[in-house]
Amino acid sequence: MIIILFGAPGVGKGTQAQILARNLGIAHLSTGDAFRTAIANKTEIGLLAQSYVDAGDLVPDSVTAKIVQEAMAASDFQNGCILDGFPRTQQQAAALDEILAAAHKHIHKVVNLEVDNETIVSRLMARGRQDDTKEIIQNRLNVYQQETAPLVEHYLHRGLLTNVNGIGTVEEVSNRILKAVQTA
Ligand code: AMP
């Protein structure tokens, strides 16, 4: 089962993707985590990605496709996975369709977590990751609006998108997501 957890930076995708993956017994792929690991290990992909991640810009699609393909080839992804932070552009959405078609898999659901901008900024400032400074947060939100938000329409047209309110306790939100995923 392939599920996309969608939403702006700071809506809680990472936390919720982990919980959902545990509940459904499937893998979790966060491209952000994968890039941070690659950067820490100074791999070729890490070196290519570093300046973009530091600035809060999107890593080029060609590099992102590589990290996704590598991760999805791993055996624990055969039963499906929760995609967290991918796709983020139209081109990535098309690349995902190709990867899935080749593996005879399809997207089960796209869960769009909705949180207002004010809450997002205060959540990210509290998290304090290296790319969580005020300036970089603003850039990531702008990039999200320009590059990623149009995918909401894309998946809505395909009948795959469900909006979920991302405000509440972690448990409240995870229960809403589980319900959304289990609804046909
Ligand atoms: P995240 O952990 O999802 O907030 O991602 C952190 C950073 O990793 C982003 O600001 C981007 O620089 C990079 N990144 C993560 N996922 C993608 C993606 N699908 N496409 C391009 N860049 C990405």
Side-chain angles (χ1 to χ4, degrees):
M1 189 189 285
I2 308 290
I3 294 166
I4 299 175
L5 211 49
F6 198 83
V11 296
K13 292 191 297 291
T15 305
Q16 292 299 338
Q18 268 177 25
I19 296 171
L20 187 62
R22 214 182 308 130
N23 279 334
L24 298 177
I26 58 178
H28 167 208
L29 170 56
S30 155
T31 42
D33 285 347
F35 282 130
R36 282 183 288 276
T37 302
I39 289 168
N41 293 334
K42 297 192 162 56
T43 66
E44 200 185 327
I45 288 182
L47 294 175
L48 286 169
Q50 175 141 34
S51 62
Y52 299 96
V53 173
D54 286 348
D57 289 325
L58 292 184
V59 177
D61 287 333
S62 57
V63 181
T64 304
K66 260 190 216 155
I67 215 164
V68 170
Q69 226 146 8
E70 270 177 21
M72 287 185 77
S75 61
D76 58 333
F77 286 94
Q78 293 314 308
N79 290 330
C81 72
I82 313 294
L83 292 174
D84 157 14
F86 178 85
R88 264 166 143 116
T89 64
Q90 295 278 2
Q91 204 183 325
Q92 289 180 16
L96 176 62
D97 285 341
E98 273 178 37
I99 294 171
L100 294 182
H104 304 289
K105 292 187 191 301
H106 65 275
I107 298 165
H108 174 71
K109 224 155 227 161
V110 180
V111 174
N112 182 32
L113 272 181
E114 296 184 301
V115 173
D116 61 279
N117 259 12
E118 213 175 295
T119 308
I120 283 178
V121 174
S122 64
R123 278 187 189 180
L124 289 177
M125 293 295 288
R127 186 172 70 176
R129 215 167 66 191
Q130 208 179 330
D131 57 348
D132 286 338
T133 66
K134 212 165 188 184
E135 229 170 58
I136 301 175
I137 289 171
Q138 195 50 55
N139 187 42
R140 281 156 61 212
L141 289 172
N142 291 344
V143 168
Y144 174 79
Q145 278 312 327
Q146 277 165 24
E147 309 267 354
T148 310
L151 291 180
V152 169
E153 279 295 306
H154 171 88
Y155 287 119
L156 193 62
H157 280 303
R158 288 171 62 176
L160 292 171
L161 193 98
T162 308
N163 291 318
V164 168
N165 177 4
I167 304 258
T169 64
V170 169
E171 200 185 348
E172 279 165 353
V173 176
S174 67
N175 285 337
R176 286 180 205 139
I177 293 174
L178 203 56
K179 238 187 236 163
V181 166
Q182 287 168 342
T183 310

